[in-house]
């Protein structure tokens, strides 16, 4: 018998109820619990066991819906084996499917995907409706993407010895088409590496553009006809990421250069109709920070340069690249570009000309994480890194305070924005600071705390009365005047409940996005792409 300890008040934003030593409610589940997932669609908790998925409502201590073998079908090893066919008899291929205990949100959708009783199921997390069940299908789903506007799923699946891309219509519950893109013998080796936990981080993509569908499966790019599934072209080299231009005329591709430990990237632009590159030689760089598409041209910021390129010719538009070495991050603000080069930031206009006289140092080390960097209220730029915090006048490029707020980079740094006052509340080294965009004086810590295990602090939440800091074994409430509202440490079973919920929150963040807290270091920020019209207005991101 497995008992799940759910603290109701914990689900209601980690308030002071954590002072309690006992869980508010204990719900019993018959089988081993495999996954706990926080559902931010409604605040419920999704619990996956081997034979069912339950949506648990903490407000009334009841299950809102249950998906079990009654709806899916009982486990049948023989039937499953027949359906997976000869491909699944290969012991090496079976290793790919070992992780059947996970429950995950499908990106950009309200749907969750899991394996229940040996069957692939996709469920609407808001109401428990089963929208896909492999019980009646002859294939095993490896990857799934949701096309929001079309209300369709794009599956990468294995059927017998073939690997297929399948367009599945949500309304009819039928496959619109299925296109074979490889065989078991040709893809087994790369697939094993794809699902290996030690494999290089990669991201498969799929998107619809006009009458075409583009997709990358295990770094292999395909262009297919949206209506028929006909394969137009597929390059004979690996593509790790791709972006389709406005109008669908071009495809920007990014490739990994070198071995698995290499950090270098290659970039080129393909003619969408033929799949042929516009440049004879790729642009090779250590890091690609930002791409901005204007329809007829695109801006490319990478570690070796920062410029606009003409789609038709591939030629640079600005006479010179933007100044700065090792460009890592670019933020588009109106007609201007705020960017980080090495461990400094600067501002240029739409013609590539410098707007600030000098670069501004934002950290001690170029590898320091950047927690926040953007233009905020009162015409100021606020930056928050592992070592410094300060504000800069957007027009002049001069710091508001002569000296930076210095942070301890080995200690947690957490922040949250107060939308009411436009201020940022920042925690570091047992101190709380308030960065007010209207302030003229350098801020001092308005609260000094004594934290039992500071390195375990990982969350900060804002309430009407102040902020709550949470860690593995501790919760601290601080009023807006700096006084301590509460400070509690706790042990089992409360700790168990919080850890389960914390795990679910981390998993859920892949779908819902992160509000605040630690963001990746400069060297590993994922390339962002922004689409703009001829007036420079952002149309899609």
């Amino acid at each position: 018998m497995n008992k799940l300890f759910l603290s109701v008040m914990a689900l209601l934003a980690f308030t002071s109820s954590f002072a309690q030593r006992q869980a508010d409610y204990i719900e019993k589940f018959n089988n081993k619990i495999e996954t706990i997932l926080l559902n931010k669609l409604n605040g419920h908790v999704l619990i996956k066991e081997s034979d069912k998925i339950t949506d648990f409502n903490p407000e009334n201590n009841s299950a809102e819906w249950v998906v079990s073998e009654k709806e899916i079908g009982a486990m049948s090893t023989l039937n499953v084996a027949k359906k997976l066919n000869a491909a699944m008899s290969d012991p090496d291929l079976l290793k790919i499917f070992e992780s059947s205990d996970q429950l995950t949100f499908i990106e950009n959708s309200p749907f969750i995907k899991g394996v229940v009783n040996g069957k692939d199921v996709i469920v609407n997390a808001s109401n428990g409706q089963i929208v896909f069940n492999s019980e009646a299908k002859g294939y095993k789903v490896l990857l799934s993407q949701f096309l929001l506007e079309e209300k369709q799923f794009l599956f990468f699946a294995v059927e017998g010895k073939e690997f297929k891309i399948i367009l599945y219509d949500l309304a009819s519950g039928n496959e619109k088409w299925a296109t074979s893109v490889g065989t078991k013998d040709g893809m087994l080796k790369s697939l094993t590496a794809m699902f290996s936990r030690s494999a290089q981080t990669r991201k498969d993509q799929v998107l619809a553009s006009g009458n075409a569908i583009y997709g990358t499966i295990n770094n292999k790019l395909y262009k297919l006809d949206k209506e028929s599934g006909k394969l137009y072209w597929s390059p004979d080299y690996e593509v790790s990421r791709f972006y389709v231009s406005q109008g669908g005329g071009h495809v920007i591709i990014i490739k990994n250069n070198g071995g698995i430990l290499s950090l270098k990237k290659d970039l080129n632009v393909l003619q969408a109709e033929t799949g042929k590159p516009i440049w004879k030689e790729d642009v090779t760089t250590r890091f690609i920070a930002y791409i901005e598409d204007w329809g007829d041209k695109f801006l490319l910021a990478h570690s070796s340069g920062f410029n606009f390129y003409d789609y038709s010719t591939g030629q640079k538009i600005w006479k010179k690249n933007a100044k700065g070495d090792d460009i890592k991050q670019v933020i588009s603000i109106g007609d201007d570009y705020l960017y980080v080069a090495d461990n400094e930031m600067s501002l240029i206009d739409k013609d590539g000309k410098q707007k600030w006289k000098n670069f501004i140092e934002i950290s001690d080390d170029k590898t320091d994480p950047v927690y926040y960097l953007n233009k905020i209220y009162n015409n100021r730029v606020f930056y928050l890194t592992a070592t410094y915090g300060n504000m800069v006048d957007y027009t002049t490029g001069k710091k508001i305070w002569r000296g930076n707020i210095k942070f301890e980079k080995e200690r947690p740094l957490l922040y949250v924005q107060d939308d009411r006052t436009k201020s940022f509340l920042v925690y570091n080294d047992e101190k709380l600071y308030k960065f007010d965009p209207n302030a003229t004086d350098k801020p001092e810590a308005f609260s000094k705390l004594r934290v039992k295990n500071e390195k375990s602090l990982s969350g900060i939440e804002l309430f009407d009365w102040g902020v709550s800091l949470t860690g593995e074994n501790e919760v601290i409430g601080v009023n807006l005047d700096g006084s301590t509202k509460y400070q509690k440490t706790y042990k089992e079973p409360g700790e168990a409940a919080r850890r389960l919920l914390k795990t679910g929150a981390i998993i859920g963040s892949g779908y819902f996005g992160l509000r605040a807290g630690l963001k990746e270091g400069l060297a590993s920020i994922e390339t962002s792409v922004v689409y703009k019209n001829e007036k420079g207005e952002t149309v899609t991101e």
Side-chain angles (χ1 to χ4, degrees), residues 100 128 158 197 203 257 332 464:
S100 62
V158 58
R197 293 182 181 180
K203 182 179 177 64
N257 181 305
S332 176
D464 291 340

Side-chain angles (χ1 to χ4, degrees), residues 74-139:
M75 168 68 83
S76 171
T77 304
L78 180 61
N79 288 339
V80 172
K82 286 181 177 178
K83 288 176 182 177
L84 296 184
N85 226 312
M88 299 310 299
S89 64
D90 192 317
D92 291 326
L93 189 58
L94 282 170
K95 293 178 182 178
I96 296 174
F97 309 108
E98 283 180 345
S99 181
S100 62
D101 60 347
Q102 295 300 308
L103 186 68
T104 57
F105 268 100
I106 296 176
E107 190 173 2
N108 300 322
S109 83
F111 302 108
I112 51 175
K113 179 181 180 294
V115 178
V116 179
N117 274 351
K119 303 167 183 65
D120 301 308
V121 293
I122 297 177
V123 181
N124 188 328
S126 63
N127 57 21
Q129 178 189 7
I130 300 172
V131 297
F132 175 81
N133 182 358
S134 66
E135 167 72 10
K137 308 298 180 181
Y139 52 84

Side-chain angles (χ1 to χ4, degrees), residues 393-412:
D393 186 287
Y394 187 82
T395 304
T396 64
K398 294 182 178 180
K399 292 182 179 180
I400 302 300
W401 308 301
R402 183 170 297 179
N404 296 304
I405 300 295
K406 188 75 169 66
F407 297 124
E408 291 293 332
K409 63 186 301 181
E410 301 302 322
R411 305 289 185 91

Side-chain angles (χ1 to χ4, degrees), residues 253-396:
I253 61 169
I254 298 174
K255 300 180 287 185
N256 294 323
N257 181 305
I260 193 170
L261 298 179
S262 174
L263 296 177
K264 288 186 178 181
K265 305 290 183 183
D266 291 335
L267 182 142
N268 212 318
V269 181
L270 307 183
Q271 298 284 353
E273 185 176 352
T274 63
K276 302 297 182 182
I278 65 170
W279 292 324
K280 292 182 179 179
E281 300 291 335
D282 296 333
V283 173
T284 300
T285 181
R286 285 195 310 107
F287 183 80
I288 297 171
Y290 181 75
I291 298 171
E292 189 174 273
D293 174 85
W294 286 60
D296 60 342
K297 61 183 178 180
F298 70 99
L299 183 144
L300 171 62
H302 60 98
S303 58
S304 304
F306 183 8
N307 210 318
F308 269 103
Y309 293 82
D310 186 284
Y311 268 124
S312 59
T313 64
Q315 298 299 311
K316 292 181 180 180
I317 293 179
W318 295 339
K319 291 183 179 180
K320 295 181 179 180
N321 287 345
K323 292 181 180 179
D325 297 325
D326 202 9
I327 295 172
K328 303 178 181 69
Q329 189 174 5
V330 177
I331 298 170
S332 176
I333 302 174
D335 292 333
D336 301 329
Y337 298 97
L338 180 68
Y339 68 100
V340 176
D342 206 357
N343 61 332
E344 301 176 314
M345 72 173 177
S346 188
L347 185 71
I348 63 172
D349 63 19
K350 61 183 177 62
D351 297 317
K353 297 179 180 179
Q354 298 290 138
K355 297 193 71 172
W356 293 346
K357 184 177 181 181
N358 300 311
F359 279 81
I360 296 175
E361 185 180 66
I362 63 172
S363 65
D364 280 342
D365 192 314
K366 64 181 181 180
T367 63
D368 281 346
V370 175
Y371 295 85
Y372 189 89
L373 174 69
N374 213 333
K375 185 179 181 182
I376 60 171
Y377 183 73
N378 199 21
N379 201 40
R380 293 183 179 184
V381 173
F382 175 48
Y383 62 87
L384 192 62
T385 72
T387 46
Y388 295 148
N390 208 330
M391 292 186 181
V392 175
D393 186 287
Y394 187 82
T395 304
T396 64

